[in-house]
């Protein structure tokens, strides 16, 4: 076991796969190592969220039963609401639609999702992102960049930091 910040990371081989158990002492997630990073299919199923939040969702314009069915079907391929992938050329993908950091120097969709959290749920943003130095910059309706401790994560060397089990854990529990 090694400690990454205040997180414990334990590497274990199970059924011929290398697993990373990451815990803050209260919550634990299990990542599977793969290529340059790891992945986690997630546990929060979109269908469960939809079922638990029907009244709130019914108030959203354009969210038809057909659109909900499409979202559930996409999640079957891409992962659950808390799915994480840190192994491919987008450095990190998160959620049922696999919002990314963007390839190479390109902006990604994930900073825009986090910007929505920052604007609509500032206490959530502060608890899960700001306290670790993560913020957003140059966001529009579709893409943007993250900053970490004030430094814009634009090139591959900068974005690489978000492949770590620490960041997978932070996004996985947020």
């Amino acid at each position: 076991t090694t400690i990454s910040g205040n997180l414990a990371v334990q590497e274990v081989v199970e059924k011929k796969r290398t697993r990373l158990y990451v815990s803050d002492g209260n919550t634990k997630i299990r990542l599977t190592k793969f290529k340059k990073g790891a992945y986690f299919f997630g546990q929060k199923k979109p269908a469960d969220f939809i079922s638990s939040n029907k009244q709130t969702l019914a108030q959203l314009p354009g969210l038809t039963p057909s659109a909900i069915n499409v979202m559930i079907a996409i999640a079957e391929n891409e992962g659950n609401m808390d799915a994480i992938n840190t192994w491919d050329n987008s450095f990190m993908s998160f959620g049922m639609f696999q919002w990314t950091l963007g390839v190479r120097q390109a902006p990604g969709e994930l900073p825009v999702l986090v910007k929505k959290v920052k604007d609509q749920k500032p206490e959530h943003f502060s608890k899960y992102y700001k306290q670790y130095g993560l913020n957003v910059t140059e966001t529009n309706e579709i893409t943007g960049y993250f900053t970490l401790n004030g430094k814009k994560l634009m090139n591959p060397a900068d974005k690489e930091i978000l492949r770590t089990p620490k960041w997978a854990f932070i996004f996985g529990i947020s």
Side-chain angles (χ1 to χ4, degrees):
T1 303
T2 59
I3 302 297
S4 172
N6 58 348
L7 300 178
V9 180
Q10 182 180 23
E11 190 170 308
V12 178
V13 176
E14 299 172 342
K15 298 180 184 177
K16 299 182 182 181
R17 295 187 188 267
T18 303
R19 310 292 187 179
L20 298 173
Y21 287 90
V22 186
S23 174
D24 65 359
N26 297 314
T27 305
K28 182 190 279 189
I29 66 169
R30 183 186 81 172
L31 302 167
T32 301
K33 276 183 98 172
F34 188 71
K35 296 185 180 181
K36 297 177 182 180
Y39 64 86
F40 171 61
F41 288 121
Q43 299 173 332
K44 299 173 184 169
K45 297 197 176 298
D48 294 342
F49 177 83
I50 291 164
S51 178
S52 299
N53 294 280
K54 283 183 180 174
Q55 290 181 338
T56 303
L57 294 172
Q59 298 171 14
L60 297 175
L63 192 59
T64 64
S66 179
I68 289 170
N69 289 337
V70 168
M71 287 190 296
I72 292 170
I74 288 171
E76 290 296 318
N77 282 336
E78 297 295 335
N80 290 314
M81 295 179 71
D82 53 341
I84 303 159
N85 161 10
T86 66
W87 62 263
D88 69 14
N89 66 349
S90 293
F91 303 93
M92 176 188 278
S93 303
F94 173 72
M96 63 186 263
F97 293 120
Q98 293 293 290
W99 292 280
T100 74
L101 293 182
V103 298
R104 295 178 294 283
Q105 283 89 357
E109 311 87 18
L110 186 54
V112 177
L113 177 66
V114 171
K115 172 93 164 63
K116 288 179 190 280
V117 173
K118 182 179 181 179
D119 293 345
Q120 296 172 14
K121 298 280 187 179
E123 68 287 348
H124 194 85
F125 173 80
S126 183
K127 178 180 179 181
Y128 291 106
Y129 308 112
K130 185 178 178 183
Q131 76 161 316
Y132 298 107
L134 194 71
N135 209 332
V136 296
T137 189
E138 298 178 31
T139 59
N140 56 37
E141 291 296 313
I142 300 169
T143 62
Y145 293 98
F146 281 125
T147 63
L148 185 59
N149 300 319
K151 181 180 180 182
K152 181 178 168 185
L153 304 180
M154 184 174 164
N155 64 50
D158 295 337
K159 292 178 180 182
E160 195 70 31
I161 187 78
L162 295 182
R163 284 196 198 276
T164 64
K166 170 187 175 177
W167 286 104
F169 179 84
I170 290 167
F171 275 87
I173 65 167
S174 64

